[in-house]
Amino acid sequence: MRLVKLDAIDSTNDYLKALSQAGHVESFTVVSTENQTKGKGQMGAKWNSEVGKNLTISILVNDFVADASRLFELNIVFSLTVIDTLRGLGIPQLTIKWPNDILSGNKKIGGILIENSLKSNGQIVSVIGLGLNVNQEHFDGLSQAGSLKIVTGTFFDKDDLLVSIVKKFKEGVAAWPLEFQKMTSTYQENLFKKGTPMPFEDANGNRFMGIIQGVSASGKLLLLRENDVVLEYELKSLKMLY
């Protein structure tokens, strides 16, 4: 593992993408920072983190899959990586809230952002950003935010967490070709509120009840609506109200 540690940077994802554009970067190169000034989530949403309290990293992977239509599989592997690592540390009630949040109970403790690019030589480069709330205890105005410290009362070493996550991720990537069916099933089983009637709101502000059935191979949410109809929803086309 090649690790680049920075005191401050606007975005660890952007830093790694720039390195890749300048030349070849080996898989599992990691960039971490104590202060990410312009952290971002899905669709440009801001990710705010108290300086020095949380784990903010990006990991680069080359050619995880050969077919760009299968890139959501990387989301499955990395989400399970985080869940498995945290379960090993005794973090309770862990689930994956579609499309990219890690929850403990009803508290969001982490977010994942995967950005993919196709280089001129045909190589698919994936940069996986993880923001994990570790030792931060106050989230002003964010009632659904939590951290490992809040849910357990325990202080965690961020460097040990980083090493554990990258080690587990390498194992997951190596296992994926043979265990993709098992891992995909495990991912589906760990979806937040799967099988439970929940209120949702679409992009037009319309509210309705639905039941999460799972996530499609391309990463769309499968939602059971009235009249037993299952519809697919794109990223950010709706939100769960909980």
Side-chain angles (χ1 to χ4, degrees):
M1 177 183 74
R2 177 192 174 193
L3 174 61
V4 180
K5 301 183 75 170
L6 305 170
D7 289 332
I9 191 68
D10 53 356
S11 164
T12 54
N13 265 30
D14 287 349
Y15 185 90
L16 254 186
K17 288 189 294 182
L19 282 183
S20 178
Q21 290 167 1
H24 177 75
V25 178
E26 64 185 54
S27 285
F28 305 107
T29 294
V30 182
V31 175
S32 71
T33 185
E34 296 295 322
N35 181 18
Q36 185 167 238
T37 58
K38 294 182 180 179
K40 57 186 177 180
Q42 294 283 2
M43 303 295 286
K46 292 183 179 180
W47 177 269
N48 295 314
S49 177
E50 192 173 327
V51 176
K53 296 290 184 69
N54 303 316
L55 187 65
T56 307
I57 63 173
S58 294
I59 307 171
L60 184 141
V61 178
N62 294 308
D63 292 324
F64 174 75
V65 293
D67 184 351
S69 68
R70 297 176 56 194
L71 282 169
F72 185 72
E73 295 173 13
L74 186 57
N75 192 300
I76 293 173
V77 174
F78 193 72
S79 296
L80 292 179
T81 290
V82 177
I83 289 283
D84 289 345
T85 302
L86 297 183
R87 282 206 177 111
L89 297 173
I91 309 303
Q93 297 178 286
L94 289 163
T95 54
I96 303 161
K97 180 175 173 288
W98 180 86
N100 70 321
D101 292 341
I102 304 298
L103 272 61
S104 175
N106 285 332
K107 296 293 186 181
K108 177 179 176 178
I109 58 172
I112 298 167
L113 175 65
I114 300 179
E115 298 180 285
N116 304 290
S117 59
L118 181 64
K119 302 189 81 169
S120 58
N121 62 0
Q123 183 180 52
I124 297 176
V125 178
S126 301
V127 174
I128 306 149
L130 171 66
L132 184 64
N133 297 332
V134 181
N135 296 315
Q136 185 170 335
E137 296 184 80
H138 302 287
F139 296 88
D140 294 338
L142 299 174
S143 61
Q144 293 176 332
S147 69
L148 307 189
K149 179 70 163 60
I150 288 173
V151 301
T152 65
T154 302
F155 177 88
F156 289 86
D157 186 296
K158 302 196 308 298
D159 290 335
D160 288 347
L161 267 174
L162 187 155
V163 172
S164 296
I165 287 170
V166 175
K167 179 176 182 292
K168 182 72 72 174
F169 183 45
K170 285 184 176 180
E171 293 171 355
V173 169
W176 178 253
L178 292 178
E179 298 193 16
F180 68 94
Q181 290 182 333
K182 178 182 177 181
M183 294 170 74
T184 298
S185 177
T186 302
Y187 174 88
Q188 304 280 358
E189 292 168 1
N190 280 277
L191 287 172
F192 180 65
K193 297 297 185 182
K194 181 183 178 185
T196 302
M198 291 293 295
F200 292 85
E201 182 177 281
D202 66 21
N204 297 318
N206 300 312
R207 296 189 176 189
F208 59 90
M209 296 296 293
I211 302 176
I212 293 175
Q213 304 297 290
V215 176
S216 73
S218 61
K220 296 178 182 179
L221 186 68
L222 303 176
L223 200 62
L224 178 66
R225 296 286 303 272
E226 58 274 5
N227 301 320
D228 293 328
V229 175
V230 176
L231 300 178
E232 294 187 355
Y233 287 88
E234 298 275 3
L235 180 68
K236 290 293 184 182
S237 62
L238 84 166
K239 63 180 178 180
M240 182 188 300
L241 306 176
Y242 72 101

